């Protein structure tokens, strides 16, 4: 079964050893540095406990209240070790998987003037909160849990007409990670009555599965899948226990797979994180050849994000 077959069937696919042990060690070092900077107030872009969705506060809560659970904008021109993060994000090994999952040709454009189908989107870091555990409620990205079954069906069809995704989203673990919980197959259907009636943090939905990753493993998943996260607190003063690279990349115009409203939904999902505020800057160029710059230009074309609003609340 191909990666795409698995994604279509289950809504997620685990790819073991996408990074070698040496690469894992390298990225653990730079990811730890980014996390330390953020925890100590020297990086201003983060996700804070107990908030699940943007916008996040501009000041991190104290460690006694959980602190942060994510570091935003690893590709920002002012992020230390940005070059290392960019080499991974734009690496052939990642782009090849994304292209397969998005149904794109394996004959990528280079410097010959052909249009670039991929869009640079988001690249962040998910980390363990401090002093207390933190959980995300059950959700689908971009589809509010308050919608009716009829609205839910329409939104699922609009986001992925014919089952085709407009973007590839992944978690890559640098530490052992069992934080992501999914309901396989739920990306292709509306919620059951049991799922609709479940508590937001219900610990045991029927058929749920904990996605277990070892360092270097990645999971690519359909953002329509019913999922949540459980983040265990790191030991006080101890080493980082969760360092997970969380990225996405899209297809220009949704790959022709949706209407204008669907394309706007994707633009909101990406730009609500603030990436549009800096991606156009002259110093945001990566120096990694033509393809990353074309992907960045495709993101610039989506807009600055002003006034797009937020996909979900809470």
């Amino acid at each position: 079964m191909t990666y795409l077959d698995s994604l279509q069937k289950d809504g997620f696919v685990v790819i073991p050893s996408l990074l070698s042990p040496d690469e894992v060690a390298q990225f653990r070092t730079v990811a730890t540095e980014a996390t330390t900077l953020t925890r100590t107030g020297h990086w201003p872009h983060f996700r804070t406990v107990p908030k699940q969705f943007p916008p996040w506060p501009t000041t991190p809560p104290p460690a006694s209240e959980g602190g942060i659970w994510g570091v935003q904008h690893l590709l920002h021109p002012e992020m230390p070790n940005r070059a290392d993060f960019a080499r991974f994000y734009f690496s052939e090994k990642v782009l090849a998987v994304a292209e397969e999952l998005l149904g794109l040709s394996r004959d990528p454009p280079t410097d010959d003037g052909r249009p670039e189908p991929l869009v640079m989107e988001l690249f962040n870091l998910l980390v363990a909160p401090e002093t207390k555990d933190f959980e995300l409620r059950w959700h689908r990205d971009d589809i509010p849990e308050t919608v009716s079954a009829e609205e839910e069906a329409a939104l699922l069809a609009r986001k992925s007409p014919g089952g085709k995704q407009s973007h590839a989203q992944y978690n890559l673990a640098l530490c052992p990670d069992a934080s992501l919980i999914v309901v396989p197959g739920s990306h292709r259907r509306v919620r059951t009555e049991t799922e609709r009636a479940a508590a937001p943090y219900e610990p045991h939905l029927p058929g749920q599965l904990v996605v277990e990753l070892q360092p270097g493993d990645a999971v690519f998943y359909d953002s329509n899948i019913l999922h949540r996260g459980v983040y265990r607190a790191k030991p006080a003063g101890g080493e980082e226990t969760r360092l997970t690279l969380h990225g996405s990349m899209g297809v220009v115009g949704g790959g022709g797979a949706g209407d204008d409203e669907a394309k706007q939904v994707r633009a909101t999902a990406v730009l609500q994180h603030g990436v549009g505020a800096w991606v156009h800057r002259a110093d945001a160029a990566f120096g990694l050849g033509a393809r990353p710059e074309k992907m960045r230009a495709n993101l610039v074309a989506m807009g600055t994000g002003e006034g797009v609003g937020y996909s979900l609340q809470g």
Side-chain angles (χ1 to χ4, degrees):
M1 183 179 291
T2 67
Y3 294 152
L4 180 57
D5 290 337
S6 295
L7 183 75
Q8 294 277 19
K9 174 178 178 290
D10 297 321
F12 72 99
V13 57
V14 174
I15 301 175
S17 302
L18 191 62
L19 288 183
S20 70
D22 286 345
E23 290 171 321
V24 169
Q26 173 197 359
F27 281 103
R28 279 195 64 161
T29 297
V30 296
T32 297
E33 290 176 4
T35 304
T36 300
L37 278 174
T38 308
R39 292 198 196 280
T40 56
H42 294 91
W43 183 249
H45 308 293
F46 39 72
R47 302 182 180 192
T48 57
V49 175
K51 206 167 187 311
Q52 180 164 348
F53 304 115
W56 285 282
T58 55
T59 302
S64 61
E65 297 178 9
I68 64 167
W69 63 276
V71 179
Q72 300 282 86
H73 302 311
L74 299 183
L75 300 180
H76 192 290
E78 296 169 23
M79 165 60 75
N81 300 309
R82 179 208 197 209
D84 294 295
F85 292 126
R87 276 193 289 271
F88 170 77
Y89 182 86
F90 295 109
S91 67
E92 173 64 18
K93 65 178 68 181
V94 174
L95 297 183
V97 175
E99 286 165 343
E100 177 182 336
L101 298 182
L102 294 170
L104 299 176
S105 168
R106 272 277 61 218
D107 183 23
T110 51
D111 297 307
D112 60 3
R114 285 178 293 166
E116 169 57 57
L118 287 177
V119 183
M120 170 186 155
E121 289 191 345
L122 303 172
F123 197 38
N124 304 313
L125 179 65
L126 306 179
V127 304
E130 298 176 272
T131 70
K132 60 174 62 177
D133 295 346
F134 172 60
E135 298 186 12
L136 307 180
R137 70 178 189 255
W138 288 105
H139 66 285
R140 308 183 193 270
D141 293 356
D142 315 322
I143 299 179
E145 66 271 20
T146 54
V147 298
S148 67
E150 292 75 16
E151 291 172 313
E152 188 175 13
L155 287 168
L156 286 170
R158 183 175 296 137
K159 283 188 63 184
S160 302
K164 184 176 182 180
Q165 289 195 112
S166 64
H167 65 285
Q169 180 167 304
Y170 61 88
N171 290 351
L172 185 137
L174 302 174
C175 305
D177 191 323
S179 300
L180 178 64
I181 306 172
V182 300
V183 179
S186 59
H187 63 307
R188 290 289 179 263
R189 60 166 176 78
V190 300
R191 287 165 292 169
T192 65
E193 288 303 314
T194 297
E195 291 164 350
R196 296 183 72 87
Y201 302 95
E202 167 59 49
H204 301 293
L205 276 184
Q208 74 174 44
L209 181 147
V210 177
V211 179
E212 298 188 13
L213 304 176
Q214 294 303 312
D217 294 350
V219 56
F220 284 73
Y221 60 100
D222 189 315
S223 65
N224 289 332
I225 197 169
L226 195 59
H227 65 287
R228 76 184 195 103
V230 176
Y231 294 0
R232 301 304 180 195
K234 67 183 286 288
E239 293 185 358
E240 297 294 337
T241 53
R242 188 185 194 209
L243 295 167
T244 297
L245 298 171
H246 178 57
S248 70
M249 53 190 64
V251 181
V252 172
D259 56 21
D260 289 342
E261 183 180 352
K263 294 171 187 175
Q264 182 59 42
V265 167
R266 188 62 201 157
T268 297
V270 174
L271 297 175
Q272 67 181 337
H273 290 271
V275 65
W278 56 263
V279 68
H280 63 282
R281 288 169 33 173
D283 62 352
F286 294 103
L288 296 175
R291 193 165 197 200
E293 295 313 310
K294 290 182 178 181
M295 291 177 63
R296 183 169 71 94
N298 288 340
L299 174 55
V300 171
M302 290 176 68
T304 63
E306 293 183 13
V308 297
Y310 299 94
S311 298
L312 300 173
Q313 303 296 316

